[in-house]
Amino acid sequence: DGKMQAAPQQARALEPGHEDQARADVYALLARLLLAAPDDALVRALATLPLFPFPSRPLDCAWAALSDAARRKGAAAVQDEYARLFTGIGNPLLNPFGSLYLAGFINEKPLVRLRSDLARLGLARRSASHELEDHLGALCETMRILIDGVGDRAPQPLDVQQAFFGTHIAPWYERFMHDMRNAEGSDFYRQVADLADVFLDIEAQAFEGAALAA
């Protein structure tokens, strides 16, 4: 389950097609990898996944490299790496919070704006979640919900997806991916950063193209 939950509201937007489902699946994977250490089953699945469905050579290469890293390292090593990077005692090596990258501190004005936008979308943090809403994993989960819907909530229109992405992810994801890629001991998660970078770049370009065509 993701870290966000949808409040019941009238359905909007079209049912997702094949490409939208693939987008939602990638966001779901990124959310899972960023919010917690992957379990044994997920690492095994990543090690044996088929070629990625998008016809993009950089994305295919990033996907293959992530799968190779999962095979090479194994679940225990990947879990240890996650702990070193994200859950270290004191100040972890990586803090994937939008407020930190946009305002210099955790729990700042960008988080306030995000919470306001989530409320307008009928979304809220799950009570059991220990992560702030501007954790990049939570933002990826929110994008999955906007694309794919959840419960009785239908997918959201492309302009809603674009506005959320442009405000809360686009301004800082490249800097975080740079930090994740270059963090001491980053190996499997360096490949996660490469995959996320390429995928989110494609998202940004697609949203820009859609805006120009509108």
Side-chain angles (χ1 to χ4, degrees), residues 164-197:
F164 187 88
F165 180 92
T167 300
H168 301 294
I169 296 177
W172 66 281
Y173 77 80
E174 289 180 326
R175 284 180 286 160
F176 174 70
M177 295 310 163
H178 175 271
D179 290 346
M180 183 160 66
R181 187 179 294 111
N182 291 285
E184 183 178 356
S186 182
D187 183 2
F188 175 85
Y189 274 88
R190 183 169 66 247
Q191 309 308 326
V192 174
D194 286 346
L195 175 65
D197 235 347

Side-chain angles (χ1 to χ4, degrees), residues 36-195:
D39 59 19
D40 294 8
L42 178 55
V43 175
R44 287 195 300 270
L46 288 172
T48 58
L49 280 174
L51 292 177
F52 200 69
F54 282 107
S56 165
R57 183 170 297 173
L59 191 56
D60 289 343
C61 290
W63 187 251
L66 179 65
S67 184
D68 179 69
R71 287 192 299 272
R72 174 170 48 82
K73 290 184 70 73
V78 170
Q79 292 157 8
D80 287 345
E81 181 178 327
Y82 181 92
R84 289 197 307 273
L85 294 175
F86 293 96
T87 63
I89 297 174
N91 188 30
L93 290 175
L94 295 172
N95 292 282
F97 299 99
S99 285
L100 181 63
Y101 281 83
L102 296 173
F105 298 94
I106 293 174
N107 209 356
E108 283 290 330
K109 288 182 179 179
L111 179 58
V112 175
R113 180 178 182 183
L114 171 61
R115 286 172 173 165
S116 177
D117 287 348
L118 289 172
R120 282 195 293 271
L121 291 167
L123 296 170
R125 183 172 65 169
R126 289 185 184 276
S127 58
S129 174
H130 300 294
E131 297 293 356
L132 295 172
E133 295 91 332
D134 64 341
H135 188 291
L136 186 57
L139 295 173
C140 287
E141 175 62 10
T142 302
M143 285 297 298
R144 182 197 69 78
I145 291 171
L146 296 181
I147 296 166
D148 205 22
V150 63
D152 60 357
R153 178 188 180 87
Q156 294 294 293
L158 190 63
D159 62 326
V160 174
Q161 300 174 31
Q162 180 178 5
F164 187 88
F165 180 92
T167 300
H168 301 294
I169 296 177
W172 66 281
Y173 77 80
E174 289 180 326
R175 284 180 286 160
F176 174 70
M177 295 310 163
H178 175 271
D179 290 346
M180 183 160 66
R181 187 179 294 111
N182 291 285
E184 183 178 356
S186 182
D187 183 2
F188 175 85
Y189 274 88
R190 183 169 66 247
Q191 309 308 326
V192 174
D194 286 346
L195 175 65

